[in-house]
Amino acid sequence: MMSESDETVTHEDKIFTNINYAEKRLANREFISCEFVNCDFSKSDLSHNDFMNCHFKQCNFSLTIVTGTGFKDAVFTGCKILGIDFSKCNKFLFSFRFEQSHLDYSTFYGTKLRKTSFTDCSLKETDFEEADLTSGIFDNCDLSGATFVRSILEKTDFRTARNFSLDPAVNKIKQAKFSALNLAGLLYQFNLDIEYEG
């Protein structure tokens, strides 16, 4: 028989504001349609908790541990999400939208990110190796040093993305969208000197 301490506690339609959970461990929690505002989860352990249809605003997720964590239809707005390994999340509860957030040094290695939208985000040194970004959108995002290797980028929208470099020979880019002004990101491996007039 399961002890009470092992039972999952469900929070629904709640708003959590200014919670400091830095370096703490959260266990056996399920959050449904909750909102987190200005909360600090830096270096915390959120493993094996579920967040469904939750909105995180101005939260700090630097170096947060998310092993087995479920994020379904999660929205991050104005968040600091540095150095998180999303490849360890629950694969069955895995859908996001990111807005005005910093995801530098995070990894999405081998994840399914179909139709995921990143808007006004910093994705410096982010690892998208072997990720499926089909029909994803990088709207006004900085992809300096981001890694795309054996990634599925079919129908992915890079038109307003900047500082990306990806090799069409090792990525699937059929029907991906690019602007004429950022095509240099596809040619970096040839070390060309591309001149833009006017």
Side-chain angles (χ1 to χ4, degrees):
M1 188 172 154
M2 193 185 281
S3 68
E4 281 190 19
S5 61
D6 287 337
E7 288 180 9
T8 299
V9 177
T10 301
H11 299 280
E12 196 162 357
D13 296 313
K14 291 183 180 173
I15 297 176
F16 299 89
T17 308
N18 299 320
I19 306 281
N20 184 357
Y21 232 88
E23 300 188 37
K24 295 186 179 131
R25 183 171 179 269
L26 191 65
N28 306 314
R29 294 287 188 276
E30 183 180 70
F31 298 90
I32 302 169
S33 300
C34 291
E35 195 171 292
F36 297 83
V37 182
N38 199 35
C39 296
D40 187 356
F41 294 101
S42 58
K43 294 186 180 175
S44 63
D45 186 348
L46 301 181
S47 297
H48 305 292
N49 296 287
D50 290 330
F51 298 88
M52 291 178 278
N53 197 31
C54 290
H55 195 165
F56 301 92
K57 299 176 179 176
Q58 285 80 47
C59 294
N60 185 353
F61 284 91
S62 298
L63 301 174
T64 305
I65 299 167
V66 290
T67 304
T69 307
F71 289 102
K72 185 174 182 347
D73 298 326
V75 179
F76 293 84
T77 304
C79 293
K80 196 192 260 189
I81 311 166
L82 305 178
I84 291 194
D85 188 350
F86 285 99
S87 70
K88 293 184 174 174
C89 286
N90 181 334
K91 303 282 188 283
F92 300 103
L93 297 173
F94 196 79
S95 50
F96 306 90
R97 195 168 83 238
F98 298 97
E99 305 163 342
Q100 293 113 42
S101 294
H102 288 264
L103 292 113
D104 305 337
Y105 313 108
S106 290
T107 180
F108 289 95
Y109 179 91
T111 58
K112 280 192 167 49
L113 290 163
R114 288 170 165 252
K115 298 183 178 174
T116 300
S117 97
F118 298 86
T119 305
D120 300 319
C121 290
S122 177
L123 294 149
K124 295 174 185 170
E125 307 281 335
T126 301
D127 182 5
F128 291 105
E129 187 172 341
E130 295 189 17
D132 183 353
L133 287 147
T134 302
S135 299
I137 300 170
F138 290 102
D139 183 11
N140 192 33
C141 292
D142 185 350
L143 290 159
S144 301
T147 311
F148 296 96
V149 179
R150 295 181 299 280
S151 309
I152 303 173
L153 306 171
E154 296 177 349
K155 299 182 182 175
T156 306
D157 192 341
F158 287 94
R159 285 177 297 181
T160 58
R162 60 192 182 279
N163 301 323
F164 64 86
S165 56
L166 59 98
D167 185 348
V170 295
N171 292 286
K172 295 182 179 174
I173 64 166
K174 192 176 176 184
Q175 294 183 346
K177 298 171 186 167
F178 299 93
S179 155
L181 295 176
N182 68 13
L183 283 176
L186 293 171
L187 303 170
Y188 79 98
Q189 73 272 23
F190 300 115
N191 198 20
L192 302 177
D193 184 1
I194 299 170
E195 191 172 300
Y196 295 97
E197 289 183 18

